[in-house]
Amino acid sequence: MKINKTNAARLLDKAKISYELIPYEVDEDDLSAVHVAANLGENIDQVFKTLVLHGDKTGHFVCIVPGDKEVNLKLAAKVSGNKSCDMIPMKELLPTTGYIRGACSPIGMKKHFPTYIHETCLEFPYIYVSAGQRGLQIKVAPNDLIKEARAEVCVLFTE
C-alpha cells in the first residue's frame, strides 16, 4: 500500500528527523486515540492525541497527551500563562489548524502555536502522534517531536 506523505512528514524530512509513517484502519464512529492504539497493537500510553485550546490571555495553544487521558484545564491554563482555558469548538479546528478531527498533528499546523507535551512522553523510546490525516500515525522519538513542535515538557493532567 502506497502511503502519501503528509505535510507533517515533509516537515520532519526537512528537519532531518527520523520517523515512520504507520497506517491504521479508520473507524469513522470512533476517532479516539484508544481505537488507534488498539488498531496499532500499541500501549495507549505511547499514542498521544493533539488538542487545541484557547486561553483567556494568550489565545490558542496546543496540548499533546496520552490518548486515554484528559487535559486538566487548570494545569493547562497555568503552564500556558492563562487564568482559564477551554478546548476550541470542533467547527474552529479546521480553520485554526488546517486539520480535521481525528487527524490533528502537532506538526505543520497553519501557524505555530505554543505547544505543551505531557512529561510521560519521555518514558518511551518512541511515541505516536497523528500524521495529519485519518488512518496515518507518525512514530517518532519524543525528543525529536519536542524539537520539531517546539514543545515544552510539563504536567498536563494528574492521575
Side-chain angles (χ1 to χ4, degrees):
M1 176 176 116
K2 175 155 173 26
I3 300 172
N4 291 325
K5 286 240 168 140
T6 62
N7 192 33
R10 284 189 284 280
L11 288 168
L12 290 173
D13 287 343
K14 188 175 171 194
K16 297 186 178 8
I17 289 174
S18 177
Y19 67 93
E20 275 180 75
L21 286 175
I22 311 288
Y24 67 92
E25 196 68 35
V26 177
D27 177 351
E28 293 294 333
D29 296 325
D30 184 1
L31 297 172
S32 72
V34 174
H35 169 77
V36 173
N39 213 290
L40 296 173
E42 286 287 351
N43 177 350
I44 185 60
D45 294 336
Q46 282 177 267
V47 178
F48 281 65
K49 60 187 175 186
T50 304
L51 305 169
V52 182
L53 295 90
H54 190 269
D56 64 335
K57 291 185 175 12
T58 66
H60 293 100
F61 65 98
V62 176
C63 290
I64 309 166
V65 296
D68 63 343
K69 303 294 189 245
E70 294 299 321
V71 169
N72 177 313
L73 295 176
K74 282 190 171 80
L75 289 174
K78 189 174 178 183
V79 300
S80 63
N82 289 286
K83 257 196 163 62
S84 65
C85 65
D86 280 300
M87 297 284 292
I88 67 168
M90 200 57 62
K91 67 181 188 298
E92 289 179 22
L93 188 63
L94 181 60
T96 302
T97 66
Y99 290 124
I100 59 170
R101 179 173 172 256
C104 189
S105 179
I107 303 163
M109 290 188 185
K110 281 184 173 179
K111 64 176 263 198
H112 177 76
F113 296 110
T115 302
Y116 306 91
I117 188 166
H118 190 71
E119 65 185 6
T120 55
C121 70
L122 297 173
E123 295 172 9
F124 305 103
Y126 61 87
I127 60 172
Y128 292 88
V129 293
S130 175
Q133 74 181 42
R134 289 179 182 166
L136 200 58
Q137 291 281 299
I138 291 174
K139 179 180 178 181
V140 64
N143 283 321
D144 288 339
L145 176 65
I146 290 162
K147 183 176 145 206
E148 183 59 22
R150 295 178 293 194
E152 184 181 316
V153 178
C154 59
V155 176
L156 292 168
F157 62 87
T158 51
E159 292 295 333

